[in-house]
Amino acid sequence: MTPTQAIARRADLRNVAIIAHVDHGKTTLVDGLLKQSNIFRDPDAAGDLILDANDLERERGITILSKNTAIQFHDVKINVIDTPGHADFGGEVERVLNMADGCILLVDASEGPMPQTRTVLARALELGLRPIVVINKIDRSNARIDEVVELINDLFLDLAIDDSQLDFPILYAIGRAGRAGFSPDDLAPDLLPLLETVLEIVPAPVADLEAPFQMLVSSIDYDSHRGRIAIGRIHRGTIRAGEVLALTGENVETVRQRVSSLMTFEGLGKRDVEEAQAGDLIAVTGFNDAKIGSTITDPNHLDAIPAVAIEEPTLKLTFGVNTSPFSGRDGEYSTSRQLGDRLNCELEVNLSLRVEPTDQPDVFSVAGRGELHLSVLIETMRREGFEFQVSRPEVVTRRGDDGEVLEPIEHLVVDVTEEFVGVVTELTGSRKARMLDLVNDGRGHVRLEFAIPTRGLIGLRNAMLTATKGNAVMSSRLIDFEPWMGPITSNRSGALVASETGTALAHGLANAQERGITFIEPQTEVYEGMIIGQNPRQDDLAVNVCRAKKLTNMRASTADISVRLTPPTLLSLEQSLDFLQDDELLEVTPKALRLRKRFLTLDARAKEKKKSQARETSLAR
């Protein structure tokens, strides 16, 4: 084989990633590509959200994990990498983009480029990926296609590394209908124009077949029969099933292990092969110590590929052993060792996460990209049978060169109707936000852009939806670290706290509802120190919701006997995290979410309050 033959482009292969902001239609477009590639016997029976098989992804309607699939078009295999669109899962995007040579940037025809659009596009252009722009959902009644095209051109002018990246094709699509074309008025009945553009624009991978084998592990999977599966793109050389290779890299002990099985992606699954070459996306087993960022290479050439740079987390909270009176009732795993082992396992696949010990042996500090990133981890663990308690989220700060405390700042975009502009401005202003831009589309919709501290976003989504009656759509991305902006006044009032342990009864709840909003229903088991509602006043109020109505021998009317309760406000996981104050915790079990005080008894809370006041007084002096 001549050198020219050894280093050549593989015309039979394309590697492309689909990137976009959340809810712009990535997964729906992938559904269309899979259905039209004839991998299903009955495409109509395949359903929707084909790649989002995770229960949590289907329930929330978002992609959480990056996934690989492959389709055959003519004589070319197209490896498609579906990525999350939410900024909190940006680490999932960053770790897989290096497997692609091109990207399909999907943009909503109504919303246009959003914060995550800019983030993922900037990363793709830094890596030199050839972009294809698809303006999706052009059938929406509020689509503004021409304006969105101008905004995309402006975005590329801001982010392009070289002039060649400004030359990109634009297609128009209705992803749900599986249609695409080069003009919004002339769509093909299928997605063939997009597939043909991928073959034309996305460069075929360069294959150096005679070089020593080298592959960067970009993802980890697990199979109950095969064990740990290392997934990545072959950087150079050829790999064969059964050969001995070396695992190396930063923070990895170099070991030699045998390739027990070798697979490539095909349709929704993987297919065993005997050999794979440079440019292929493969999955290999036999490397039990493989981690994301490690390198599998020829044993005689132990040069590691630099690991992918992942942005640091911005929000943290603590995971601790459940110390409530109800601990151990629901969870299968509740010890500090089990909790620590599970969090350390998460670090192997969740690159944006950071886990550190605290001064308490049974409490761990866990930092992530945002509230959603952390809440998904919490929900995943409780579904696995873990029982634990978490604290209020707080921001991860840095120290500047001069020792000054720096906090993360986010670029916040809020789309809202005209009537609620004042409400949005007031809400964000109270959280130290400064307005960057305000655009009215002339049709009653306004886009406001702010720079806001990350801690100002905690609880903002729920407050925004309530204040705007559900008419606000907000998204954000990290842009910088700036000097600490001072305290943000909390709008939350006090809590209604159970004063007795027992079962909540209708009579006790009726008395509690005279004092505030309740979070629990009758027959709910409660314990002393558990938060059962919200007090409209600033102070916490202890109430006995287990008190029953006293029976007498006096006759009473039916109206006097019956108790009418207002339906309780049932908080979701994210709402519970938003509700927490510094002296409160969220008890998480497979069957329940319970808000509680950090100190359960009234006496303990009073003593702690005196101690904190004394500390504040001494610091003031």
Side-chain angles (χ1 to χ4, degrees), residues 224-256:
S224 56
H225 299 292
R226 300 176 187 259
R228 182 181 292 256
I229 302 174
I231 299 171
R233 172 177 171 166
I234 302 177
H235 183 65
R236 68 187 186 205
T238 302
I239 183 174
R240 296 173 182 85
E243 72 176 319
V244 176
L245 296 173
L247 178 71
T248 187
E250 187 178 350
N251 300 323
V252 176
E253 183 181 351
T254 301
V255 292
R256 294 190 179 196

PDB file of all heavy atoms in Angstrom, residues 224-256:
ATOM      1  N   SER A 224     -24.898  -5.850  30.542  1.00  0.00           N
ATOM      2  CA  SER A 224     -24.839  -6.842  31.616  1.00  0.00           C
ATOM      3  C   SER A 224     -24.026  -8.065  31.225  1.00  0.00           C
ATOM      4  O   SER A 224     -23.499  -8.771  32.094  1.00  0.00           O
ATOM      5  CB  SER A 224     -26.252  -7.262  32.022  1.00  0.00           C
ATOM      6  OG  SER A 224     -26.979  -7.744  30.894  1.00  0.00           O
ATOM      7  N   HIS A 225     -23.912  -8.356  29.919  1.00  0.00           N
ATOM      8  CA  HIS A 225     -23.146  -9.516  29.462  1.00  0.00           C
ATOM      9  C   HIS A 225     -21.714  -9.142  29.060  1.00  0.00           C
ATOM     10  O   HIS A 225     -20.761  -9.854  29.378  1.00  0.00           O
ATOM     11  CB  HIS A 225     -23.849 -10.175  28.270  1.00  0.00           C
ATOM     12  CG  HIS A 225     -25.225 -10.675  28.596  1.00  0.00           C
ATOM     13  ND1 HIS A 225     -25.442 -11.735  29.439  1.00  0.00           N
ATOM     14  CD2 HIS A 225     -26.462 -10.244  28.212  1.00  0.00           C
ATOM     15  CE1 HIS A 225     -26.741 -11.958  29.554  1.00  0.00           C
ATOM     16  NE2 HIS A 225     -27.381 -11.057  28.816  1.00  0.00           N
ATOM     17  N   ARG A 226     -21.552  -8.020  28.380  1.00  0.00           N
ATOM     18  CA  ARG A 226     -20.233  -7.637  27.869  1.00  0.00           C
ATOM     19  C   ARG A 226     -19.432  -6.810  28.873  1.00  0.00           C
ATOM     20  O   ARG A 226     -18.212  -6.727  28.768  1.00  0.00           O
ATOM     21  CB  ARG A 226     -20.370  -6.839  26.566  1.00  0.00           C
ATOM     22  CG  ARG A 226     -21.059  -7.600  25.434  1.00  0.00           C
ATOM     23  CD  ARG A 226     -21.215  -6.679  24.239  1.00  0.00           C
ATOM     24  NE  ARG A 226     -22.002  -7.254  23.161  1.00  0.00           N
ATOM     25  CZ  ARG A 226     -21.504  -7.790  22.064  1.00  0.00           C
ATOM     26  NH1 ARG A 226     -20.191  -7.854  21.908  1.00  0.00           N
ATOM     27  NH2 ARG A 226     -22.284  -8.269  21.127  1.00  0.00           N
ATOM     28  N   GLY A 227     -20.102  -6.159  29.810  1.00  0.00           N
ATOM     29  CA  GLY A 227     -19.413  -5.291  30.759  1.00  0.00           C
ATOM     30  C   GLY A 227     -19.302  -3.870  30.239  1.00  0.00           C
ATOM     31  O   GLY A 227     -20.131  -3.401  29.455  1.00  0.00           O
ATOM     32  N   ARG A 228     -18.248  -3.172  30.641  1.00  0.00           N
ATOM     33  CA  ARG A 228     -18.054  -1.766  30.261  1.00  0.00           C
ATOM     34  C   ARG A 228     -17.745  -1.651  28.768  1.00  0.00           C
ATOM     35  O   ARG A 228     -16.924  -2.403  28.228  1.00  0.00           O
ATOM     36  CB  ARG A 228     -16.920  -1.162  31.083  1.00  0.00           C
ATOM     37  CG  ARG A 228     -16.662   0.323  30.804  1.00  0.00           C
ATOM     38  CD  ARG A 228     -15.508   0.800  31.655  1.00  0.00           C
ATOM     39  NE  ARG A 228     -15.886   0.800  33.044  1.00  0.00           N
ATOM     40  CZ  ARG A 228     -16.177   1.905  33.728  1.00  0.00           C
ATOM     41  NH1 ARG A 228     -16.117   3.084  33.149  1.00  0.00           N
ATOM     42  NH2 ARG A 228     -16.510   1.839  34.994  1.00  0.00           N
ATOM     43  N   ILE A 229     -18.420  -0.698  28.118  1.00  0.00           N
ATOM     44  CA  ILE A 229     -18.241  -0.475  26.679  1.00  0.00           C
ATOM     45  C   ILE A 229     -17.653   0.922  26.484  1.00  0.00           C
ATOM     46  O   ILE A 229     -18.235   1.918  26.930  1.00  0.00           O
ATOM     47  CB  ILE A 229     -19.576  -0.603  25.916  1.00  0.00           C
ATOM     48  CG1 ILE A 229     -20.193  -1.993  26.143  1.00  0.00           C
ATOM     49  CG2 ILE A 229     -19.376  -0.343  24.435  1.00  0.00           C
ATOM     50  CD1 ILE A 229     -21.587  -2.142  25.544  1.00  0.00           C
ATOM     51  N   ALA A 230     -16.504   1.004  25.836  1.00  0.00           N
ATOM     52  CA  ALA A 230     -15.856   2.287  25.531  1.00  0.00           C
ATOM     53  C   ALA A 230     -16.221   2.694  24.102  1.00  0.00           C
ATOM     54  O   ALA A 230     -16.047   1.915  23.163  1.00  0.00           O
ATOM     55  CB  ALA A 230     -14.347   2.171  25.674  1.00  0.00           C
ATOM     56  N   ILE A 231     -16.749   3.907  23.946  1.00  0.00           N
ATOM     57  CA  ILE A 231     -17.225   4.386  22.644  1.00  0.00           C
ATOM     58  C   ILE A 231     -16.386   5.582  22.220  1.00  0.00           C
ATOM     59  O   ILE A 231     -16.082   6.469  23.027  1.00  0.00           O
ATOM     60  CB  ILE A 231     -18.716   4.778  22.714  1.00  0.00           C
ATOM     61  CG1 ILE A 231     -19.567   3.555  23.091  1.00  0.00           C
ATOM     62  CG2 ILE A 231     -19.193   5.373  21.388  1.00  0.00           C
ATOM     63  CD1 ILE A 231     -21.013   3.895  23.384  1.00  0.00           C
ATOM     64  N   GLY A 232     -16.003   5.611  20.959  1.00  0.00           N
ATOM     65  CA  GLY A 232     -15.237   6.746  20.455  1.00  0.00           C
ATOM     66  C   GLY A 232     -14.991   6.626  18.963  1.00  0.00           C
ATOM     67  O   GLY A 232     -15.450   5.685  18.312  1.00  0.00           O
ATOM     68  N   ARG A 233     -14.265   7.588  18.438  1.00  0.00           N
ATOM     69  CA  ARG A 233     -13.921   7.609  17.020  1.00  0.00           C
ATOM     70  C   ARG A 233     -12.452   7.216  16.860  1.00  0.00           C
ATOM     71  O   ARG A 233     -11.587   7.683  17.606  1.00  0.00           O
ATOM     72  CB  ARG A 233     -14.141   9.009  16.451  1.00  0.00           C
ATOM     73  CG  ARG A 233     -13.617   9.164  15.035  1.00  0.00           C
ATOM     74  CD  ARG A 233     -13.910  10.535  14.496  1.00  0.00           C
ATOM     75  NE  ARG A 233     -13.229  10.750  13.227  1.00  0.00           N
ATOM     76  CZ  ARG A 233     -13.514  11.739  12.396  1.00  0.00           C
ATOM     77  NH1 ARG A 233     -14.457  12.602  12.698  1.00  0.00           N
ATOM     78  NH2 ARG A 233     -12.855  11.873  11.258  1.00  0.00           N
ATOM     79  N   ILE A 234     -12.189   6.361  15.891  1.00  0.00           N
ATOM     80  CA  ILE A 234     -10.811   5.955  15.627  1.00  0.00           C
ATOM     81  C   ILE A 234     -10.068   7.136  15.012  1.00  0.00           C
ATOM     82  O   ILE A 234     -10.431   7.631  13.943  1.00  0.00           O
ATOM     83  CB  ILE A 234     -10.753   4.735  14.693  1.00  0.00           C
ATOM     84  CG1 ILE A 234     -11.527   3.562  15.297  1.00  0.00           C
ATOM     85  CG2 ILE A 234      -9.308   4.326  14.430  1.00  0.00           C
ATOM     86  CD1 ILE A 234     -11.583   2.340  14.400  1.00  0.00           C
ATOM     87  N   HIS A 235      -9.037   7.593  15.703  1.00  0.00           N
ATOM     88  CA  HIS A 235      -8.266   8.745  15.239  1.00  0.00           C
ATOM     89  C   HIS A 235      -7.303   8.352  14.116  1.00  0.00           C
ATOM     90  O   HIS A 235      -7.113   9.105  13.157  1.00  0.00           O
ATOM     91  CB  HIS A 235      -7.486   9.327  16.422  1.00  0.00           C
ATOM     92  CG  HIS A 235      -6.707  10.544  16.107  1.00  0.00           C
ATOM     93  ND1 HIS A 235      -7.289  11.736  15.728  1.00  0.00           N
ATOM     94  CD2 HIS A 235      -5.364  10.767  16.091  1.00  0.00           C
ATOM     95  CE1 HIS A 235      -6.355  12.628  15.503  1.00  0.00           C
ATOM     96  NE2 HIS A 235      -5.175  12.072  15.722  1.00  0.00           N
ATOM     97  N   ARG A 236      -6.738   7.161  14.242  1.00  0.00           N
ATOM     98  CA  ARG A 236      -5.821   6.692  13.206  1.00  0.00           C
ATOM     99  C   ARG A 236      -5.682   5.173  13.320  1.00  0.00           C
ATOM    100  O   ARG A 236      -5.979   4.582  14.361  1.00  0.00           O
ATOM    101  CB  ARG A 236      -4.443   7.353  13.371  1.00  0.00           C
ATOM    102  CG  ARG A 236      -3.720   6.908  14.604  1.00  0.00           C
ATOM    103  CD  ARG A 236      -2.444   7.672  14.860  1.00  0.00           C
ATOM    104  NE  ARG A 236      -1.727   7.084  15.991  1.00  0.00           N
ATOM    105  CZ  ARG A 236      -0.880   7.732  16.760  1.00  0.00           C
ATOM    106  NH1 ARG A 236      -0.624   9.013  16.533  1.00  0.00           N
ATOM    107  NH2 ARG A 236      -0.269   7.107  17.768  1.00  0.00           N
ATOM    108  N   GLY A 237      -5.235   4.551  12.246  1.00  0.00           N
ATOM    109  CA  GLY A 237      -4.932   3.121  12.253  1.00  0.00           C
ATOM    110  C   GLY A 237      -6.147   2.226  12.113  1.00  0.00           C
ATOM    111  O   GLY A 237      -7.242   2.655  11.731  1.00  0.00           O
ATOM    112  N   THR A 238      -5.938   0.956  12.435  1.00  0.00           N
ATOM    113  CA  THR A 238      -6.951  -0.081  12.299  1.00  0.00           C
ATOM    114  C   THR A 238      -7.017  -0.889  13.588  1.00  0.00           C
ATOM    115  O   THR A 238      -5.994  -1.108  14.242  1.00  0.00           O
ATOM    116  CB  THR A 238      -6.605  -1.019  11.119  1.00  0.00           C
ATOM    117  OG1 THR A 238      -6.502  -0.235   9.928  1.00  0.00           O
ATOM    118  CG2 THR A 238      -7.670  -2.084  10.929  1.00  0.00           C
ATOM    119  N   ILE A 239      -8.204  -1.333  13.948  1.00  0.00           N
ATOM    120  CA  ILE A 239      -8.392  -2.157  15.138  1.00  0.00           C
ATOM    121  C   ILE A 239      -9.052  -3.467  14.732  1.00  0.00           C
ATOM    122  O   ILE A 239      -9.911  -3.495  13.844  1.00  0.00           O
ATOM    123  CB  ILE A 239      -9.246  -1.426  16.204  1.00  0.00           C
ATOM    124  CG1 ILE A 239      -9.377  -2.270  17.476  1.00  0.00           C
ATOM    125  CG2 ILE A 239     -10.610  -1.058  15.659  1.00  0.00           C
ATOM    126  CD1 ILE A 239     -10.081  -1.558  18.621  1.00  0.00           C
ATOM    127  N   ARG A 240      -8.640  -4.549  15.400  1.00  0.00           N
ATOM    128  CA  ARG A 240      -9.211  -5.868  15.111  1.00  0.00           C
ATOM    129  C   ARG A 240      -9.649  -6.515  16.418  1.00  0.00           C
ATOM    130  O   ARG A 240      -8.988  -6.357  17.450  1.00  0.00           O
ATOM    131  CB  ARG A 240      -8.191  -6.759  14.392  1.00  0.00           C
ATOM    132  CG  ARG A 240      -7.785  -6.236  13.026  1.00  0.00           C
ATOM    133  CD  ARG A 240      -6.663  -7.033  12.406  1.00  0.00           C
ATOM    134  NE  ARG A 240      -6.278  -6.455  11.119  1.00  0.00           N
ATOM    135  CZ  ARG A 240      -5.420  -5.450  10.976  1.00  0.00           C
ATOM    136  NH1 ARG A 240      -4.878  -4.902  12.054  1.00  0.00           N
ATOM    137  NH2 ARG A 240      -5.126  -4.993   9.782  1.00  0.00           N
ATOM    138  N   ALA A 241     -10.735  -7.234  16.356  1.00  0.00           N
ATOM    139  CA  ALA A 241     -11.221  -7.946  17.539  1.00  0.00           C
ATOM    140  C   ALA A 241     -10.182  -8.965  17.989  1.00  0.00           C
ATOM    141  O   ALA A 241      -9.596  -9.676  17.169  1.00  0.00           O
ATOM    142  CB  ALA A 241     -12.546  -8.638  17.221  1.00  0.00           C
ATOM    143  N   GLY A 242      -9.917  -9.019  19.287  1.00  0.00           N
ATOM    144  CA  GLY A 242      -8.985  -9.994  19.838  1.00  0.00           C
ATOM    145  C   GLY A 242      -7.569  -9.489  20.024  1.00  0.00           C
ATOM    146  O   GLY A 242      -6.780 -10.131  20.722  1.00  0.00           O
ATOM    147  N   GLU A 243      -7.210  -8.351  19.445  1.00  0.00           N
ATOM    148  CA  GLU A 243      -5.827  -7.882  19.588  1.00  0.00           C
ATOM    149  C   GLU A 243      -5.625  -7.177  20.929  1.00  0.00           C
ATOM    150  O   GLU A 243      -6.577  -6.723  21.577  1.00  0.00           O
ATOM    151  CB  GLU A 243      -5.436  -6.981  18.426  1.00  0.00           C
ATOM    152  CG  GLU A 243      -6.071  -5.612  18.413  1.00  0.00           C
ATOM    153  CD  GLU A 243      -5.527  -4.753  17.268  1.00  0.00           C
ATOM    154  OE1 GLU A 243      -4.314  -4.797  17.024  1.00  0.00           O
ATOM    155  OE2 GLU A 243      -6.332  -4.046  16.629  1.00  0.00           O
ATOM    156  N   VAL A 244      -4.372  -7.082  21.328  1.00  0.00           N
ATOM    157  CA  VAL A 244      -4.021  -6.455  22.600  1.00  0.00           C
ATOM    158  C   VAL A 244      -3.660  -4.991  22.359  1.00  0.00           C
ATOM    159  O   VAL A 244      -2.802  -4.684  21.525  1.00  0.00           O
ATOM    160  CB  VAL A 244      -2.848  -7.190  23.274  1.00  0.00           C
ATOM    161  CG1 VAL A 244      -2.430  -6.453  24.548  1.00  0.00           C
ATOM    162  CG2 VAL A 244      -3.240  -8.623  23.600  1.00  0.00           C
ATOM    163  N   LEU A 245      -4.310  -4.101  23.102  1.00  0.00           N
ATOM    164  CA  LEU A 245      -4.049  -2.670  23.003  1.00  0.00           C
ATOM    165  C   LEU A 245      -3.803  -2.125  24.400  1.00  0.00           C
ATOM    166  O   LEU A 245      -4.015  -2.813  25.404  1.00  0.00           O
ATOM    167  CB  LEU A 245      -5.230  -1.948  22.344  1.00  0.00           C
ATOM    168  CG  LEU A 245      -5.537  -2.323  20.887  1.00  0.00           C
ATOM    169  CD1 LEU A 245      -6.824  -1.657  20.434  1.00  0.00           C
ATOM    170  CD2 LEU A 245      -4.381  -1.925  19.974  1.00  0.00           C
ATOM    171  N   ALA A 246      -3.395  -0.859  24.457  1.00  0.00           N
ATOM    172  CA  ALA A 246      -3.084  -0.234  25.748  1.00  0.00           C
ATOM    173  C   ALA A 246      -4.082   0.873  26.055  1.00  0.00           C
ATOM    174  O   ALA A 246      -4.542   1.589  25.156  1.00  0.00           O
ATOM    175  CB  ALA A 246      -1.672   0.329  25.732  1.00  0.00           C
ATOM    176  N   LEU A 247      -4.430   0.977  27.333  1.00  0.00           N
ATOM    177  CA  LEU A 247      -5.281   2.058  27.813  1.00  0.00           C
ATOM    178  C   LEU A 247      -4.387   3.034  28.572  1.00  0.00           C
ATOM    179  O   LEU A 247      -3.666   2.644  29.494  1.00  0.00           O
ATOM    180  CB  LEU A 247      -6.371   1.512  28.734  1.00  0.00           C
ATOM    181  CG  LEU A 247      -7.311   2.546  29.362  1.00  0.00           C
ATOM    182  CD1 LEU A 247      -8.234   3.129  28.297  1.00  0.00           C
ATOM    183  CD2 LEU A 247      -8.131   1.923  30.480  1.00  0.00           C
ATOM    184  N   THR A 248      -4.420   4.309  28.177  1.00  0.00           N
ATOM    185  CA  THR A 248      -3.562   5.304  28.814  1.00  0.00           C
ATOM    186  C   THR A 248      -4.293   6.638  28.876  1.00  0.00           C
ATOM    187  O   THR A 248      -5.441   6.758  28.440  1.00  0.00           O
ATOM    188  CB  THR A 248      -2.226   5.443  28.046  1.00  0.00           C
ATOM    189  OG1 THR A 248      -1.349   6.294  28.775  1.00  0.00           O
ATOM    190  CG2 THR A 248      -2.449   6.016  26.652  1.00  0.00           C
ATOM    191  N   GLY A 249      -3.629   7.643  29.404  1.00  0.00           N
ATOM    192  CA  GLY A 249      -4.239   8.968  29.497  1.00  0.00           C
ATOM    193  C   GLY A 249      -3.998   9.598  30.854  1.00  0.00           C
ATOM    194  O   GLY A 249      -3.402   8.994  31.760  1.00  0.00           O
ATOM    195  N   GLU A 250      -4.462  10.830  31.003  1.00  0.00           N
ATOM    196  CA  GLU A 250      -4.298  11.562  32.249  1.00  0.00           C
ATOM    197  C   GLU A 250      -5.117  10.898  33.353  1.00  0.00           C
ATOM    198  O   GLU A 250      -6.273  10.546  33.168  1.00  0.00           O
ATOM    199  CB  GLU A 250      -4.754  13.011  32.063  1.00  0.00           C
ATOM    200  CG  GLU A 250      -4.458  13.904  33.253  1.00  0.00           C
ATOM    201  CD  GLU A 250      -4.887  15.337  33.009  1.00  0.00           C
ATOM    202  OE1 GLU A 250      -5.238  15.659  31.856  1.00  0.00           O
ATOM    203  OE2 GLU A 250      -4.875  16.120  33.972  1.00  0.00           O
ATOM    204  N   ASN A 251      -4.513  10.727  34.527  1.00  0.00           N
ATOM    205  CA  ASN A 251      -5.163  10.101  35.691  1.00  0.00           C
ATOM    206  C   ASN A 251      -5.620   8.668  35.412  1.00  0.00           C
ATOM    207  O   ASN A 251      -6.557   8.167  36.037  1.00  0.00           O
ATOM    208  CB  ASN A 251      -6.370  10.933  36.153  1.00  0.00           C
ATOM    209  CG  ASN A 251      -5.979  12.337  36.556  1.00  0.00           C
ATOM    210  OD1 ASN A 251      -4.916  12.548  37.145  1.00  0.00           O
ATOM    211  ND2 ASN A 251      -6.829  13.307  36.233  1.00  0.00           N
ATOM    212  N   VAL A 252      -4.972   8.007  34.449  1.00  0.00           N
ATOM    213  CA  VAL A 252      -5.291   6.620  34.130  1.00  0.00           C
ATOM    214  C   VAL A 252      -3.998   5.809  34.164  1.00  0.00           C
ATOM    215  O   VAL A 252      -3.000   6.195  33.535  1.00  0.00           O
ATOM    216  CB  VAL A 252      -5.948   6.498  32.731  1.00  0.00           C
ATOM    217  CG1 VAL A 252      -6.193   5.024  32.380  1.00  0.00           C
ATOM    218  CG2 VAL A 252      -7.253   7.268  32.680  1.00  0.00           C
ATOM    219  N   GLU A 253      -3.998   4.721  34.895  1.00  0.00           N
ATOM    220  CA  GLU A 253      -2.826   3.849  34.921  1.00  0.00           C
ATOM    221  C   GLU A 253      -2.744   3.082  33.606  1.00  0.00           C
ATOM    222  O   GLU A 253      -3.728   2.478  33.172  1.00  0.00           O
ATOM    223  CB  GLU A 253      -2.932   2.869  36.093  1.00  0.00           C
ATOM    224  CG  GLU A 253      -1.723   1.963  36.243  1.00  0.00           C
ATOM    225  CD  GLU A 253      -1.866   0.996  37.395  1.00  0.00           C
ATOM    226  OE1 GLU A 253      -2.832   1.144  38.174  1.00  0.00           O
ATOM    227  OE2 GLU A 253      -1.017   0.091  37.512  1.00  0.00           O
ATOM    228  N   THR A 254      -1.602   3.139  32.947  1.00  0.00           N
ATOM    229  CA  THR A 254      -1.440   2.477  31.646  1.00  0.00           C
ATOM    230  C   THR A 254      -1.462   0.957  31.831  1.00  0.00           C
ATOM    231  O   THR A 254      -0.668   0.403  32.589  1.00  0.00           O
ATOM    232  CB  THR A 254      -0.125   2.909  30.986  1.00  0.00           C
ATOM    233  OG1 THR A 254      -0.137   4.338  30.811  1.00  0.00           O
ATOM    234  CG2 THR A 254       0.052   2.238  29.636  1.00  0.00           C
ATOM    235  N   VAL A 255      -2.400   0.317  31.150  1.00  0.00           N
ATOM    236  CA  VAL A 255      -2.532  -1.141  31.224  1.00  0.00           C
ATOM    237  C   VAL A 255      -2.757  -1.695  29.823  1.00  0.00           C
ATOM    238  O   VAL A 255      -3.297  -1.014  28.944  1.00  0.00           O
ATOM    239  CB  VAL A 255      -3.709  -1.562  32.139  1.00  0.00           C
ATOM    240  CG1 VAL A 255      -3.420  -1.231  33.585  1.00  0.00           C
ATOM    241  CG2 VAL A 255      -5.011  -0.907  31.692  1.00  0.00           C
ATOM    242  N   ARG A 256      -2.340  -2.929  29.621  1.00  0.00           N
ATOM    243  CA  ARG A 256      -2.591  -3.621  28.357  1.00  0.00           C
ATOM    244  C   ARG A 256      -3.768  -4.572  28.547  1.00  0.00           C
ATOM    245  O   ARG A 256      -3.798  -5.342  29.506  1.00  0.00           O
ATOM    246  CB  ARG A 256      -1.360  -4.408  27.919  1.00  0.00           C
ATOM    247  CG  ARG A 256      -0.165  -3.548  27.558  1.00  0.00           C
ATOM    248  CD  ARG A 256       0.914  -4.377  26.902  1.00  0.00           C
ATOM    249  NE  ARG A 256       2.064  -3.561  26.524  1.00  0.00           N
ATOM    250  CZ  ARG A 256       2.998  -3.960  25.682  1.00  0.00           C
ATOM    251  NH1 ARG A 256       2.928  -5.172  25.140  1.00  0.00           N
ATOM    252  NH2 ARG A 256       4.008  -3.176  25.386  1.00  0.00           N
TER     253      ARG A 256
END
